[in-house]
């Protein structure tokens, strides 16, 4: 759920090459809409709790793998801002894992000790809001006005979608908020991917 970005004012200490780099550059643009699609499906009851649990576990592993593989590339500038999003987002995603375990009673001690709904809310709203400051920062550092506008719009959609979902009185309303977040964040990540993919 993070973009990678590159511009004259975006710095990194080194750049890898090959298929691993291509996957790290383009993977987020695929994972973000997929993640919010799964979330919307779970709200509507189309995606099962077990599938949602698997998605959280897979996302947690991908986040750790991504930040380990990209640690040196994301040392400064905009990329460092997104590294911080990943670092903060990993425990947020794990809160979702714990919330799902607590909710279904798989781990009785966890179910007794942890408020499942609160943990799930941390994961849900955390990923809506965590990328917003990084989108703003990316937009401020991106010299191209059309692209920087997309970054700022992504931040606005993230916050607006979280508010819509929080105030919704029905599943349809929550999904509307999720859709707003998903569309905004996907557009922002596509813009950031295009920025990162510019030639040196």
């Amino acid at each position: 759920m993070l973009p990678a970005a590159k511009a004259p004012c975006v710095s990194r200490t080194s750049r890898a090459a090959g298929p691993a780099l291509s996957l790290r550059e383009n993977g987020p643009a695929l994972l973000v809409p997929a993640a919010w699609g799964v979330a919307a499906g779970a709200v509507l009851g189309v995606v099962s709790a077990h599938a949602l649990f698997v998605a959280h576990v897979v996302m947690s592993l991908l986040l750790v793998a991504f930040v380990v593989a990209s640690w040196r590339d994301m040392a400064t500038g905009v990329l460092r801002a997104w590294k911080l999003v990943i670092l903060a987002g990993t425990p947020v995603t794990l809160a979702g894992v714990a919330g799902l375990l607590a909710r279904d009673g798989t781990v009785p001690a966890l179910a007794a000790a942890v408020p499942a709904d609160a943990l799930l809310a941390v994961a849900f709203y955390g990923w809506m809001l965590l990328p917003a400051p990084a989108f703003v920062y990316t937009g401020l550092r991106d010299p191209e006005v059309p692209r920087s506008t997309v970054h700022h719009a992504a931040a606005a959609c993230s916050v607006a979608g979280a508010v819509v979902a929080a105030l919704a009185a029905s599943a349809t309303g929550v999904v509307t908020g999720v859709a707003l977040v998903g569309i905004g964040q996907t557009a922002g990540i596509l813009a950031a991917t295009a920025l990162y993919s510019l030639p040196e």
Side-chain angles (χ1 to χ4, degrees), residues 8-94:
C9 55
V10 177
S11 58
R12 58 172 138 340
T13 55
S14 63
R15 179 170 180 160
L21 176 64
S22 178
L23 181 61
R24 283 185 285 147
E25 283 181 347
N26 300 306
L30 301 173
L31 291 175
V32 169
W36 288 118
V38 169
V43 171
L44 294 172
V46 177
V47 173
S48 69
H50 178 71
L52 188 60
F53 172 76
V54 171
H56 275 76
V57 171
V58 169
M59 185 59 70
S60 298
L61 294 173
L62 287 174
L63 288 170
V64 171
F66 187 96
V67 78
V68 168
S70 305
W71 190 267
R72 291 183 62 201
D73 292 331
M74 302 176 81
T76 58
V78 169
L79 294 176
R80 183 175 182 274
W82 285 102
K83 179 167 71 174
L84 295 175
V85 171
I86 300 170
L87 291 173
T90 301
V92 164
T93 308
L94 290 171

Side-chain angles (χ1 to χ4, degrees), residues 89-189:
T90 301
V92 164
T93 308
L94 290 171
V97 173
L100 289 164
L101 287 173
R103 174 174 279 182
D104 72 7
T106 302
V107 183
L110 183 62
V114 181
D117 289 344
L119 288 170
L120 293 172
V122 166
F124 186 67
Y125 292 106
W127 272 115
M128 287 183 165
L129 296 172
L130 271 176
F135 276 126
V136 171
Y137 184 64
T138 303
L140 292 173
R141 298 289 299 272
D142 189 337
E144 297 295 327
V145 173
R147 239 183 1 239
S148 64
T149 302
V150 173
H151 299 310
H152 292 302
C157 285
S158 296
V159 175
V163 171
V164 169
L167 298 179
S170 67
T172 302
V174 175
V175 169
T176 300
V178 170
L180 188 55
V181 172
I183 290 168
Q185 290 186 359
T186 299
I189 287 175

